[in-house]
Amino acid sequence: MTANDQFRFLSNWSSQVRKGILELVVMSILAEREHYGYELVEKLGARCGIEVSDGTIYTILLRLKGEDFVTQRWVTLPKGPARKYFCLTDSGREALREMQKLWAGITSAVSHSGGEV
């Protein structure tokens, strides 16, 4: 495997891992209470040190909405534009519980693999 092949592999792998983890973290945050998109961006940065764009968050939220894991509602504010709030559904909470179990199993397997780099 050339260095270029390895770079492409790791870049793709990193992208896939990040996508799955972002969905898990977004759903975990929404399990606490409803949030609007930019609020999620800020929370990801403050809580997890994960920097993402609004576009990335809305792509994730639309995918989760398509799976019926979140609902949305518009809230009109006295000042400024209306905000679209997202809330985890019951099926979203069930999916989150399963995702958390899978994540716990993965992290446990990796940390106990005994392999050294």
Side-chain angles (χ1 to χ4, degrees), residues 1-9:
M1 177 181 275
T2 68
N4 195 31
D5 290 339
Q6 184 177 13
F7 174 79
R8 274 197 310 270
F9 172 82

Side-chain angles (χ1 to χ4, degrees), residues 28-89:
S28 296
I29 292 171
L30 290 176
E32 299 168 1
R33 66 172 177 82
E34 68 179 1
H35 288 76
Y36 60 94
Y38 187 71
E39 188 178 28
L40 286 168
V41 170
E42 291 179 327
K43 199 162 242 185
L44 283 167
R47 180 187 289 182
C48 310
I50 299 173
E51 304 238 351
V52 296
S53 68
D54 292 356
T56 298
I57 288 298
Y58 282 107
T59 299
I60 290 169
L61 291 168
L62 287 175
R63 186 169 41 252
L64 295 175
K65 186 176 182 289
E67 296 293 333
D68 294 323
F69 292 162
V70 299
T71 58
Q72 68 183 37
R73 70 182 182 99
W74 284 98
V75 175
T76 305
L77 304 171
K79 291 185 177 182
R83 291 183 177 158
K84 191 185 300 186
Y85 279 81
F86 295 87
C87 181
L88 211 57
T89 63

Side-chain angles (χ1 to χ4, degrees), residues 108-117:
S108 176
V110 170
S111 65
H112 293 98
S113 67
E116 288 191 26
V117 179

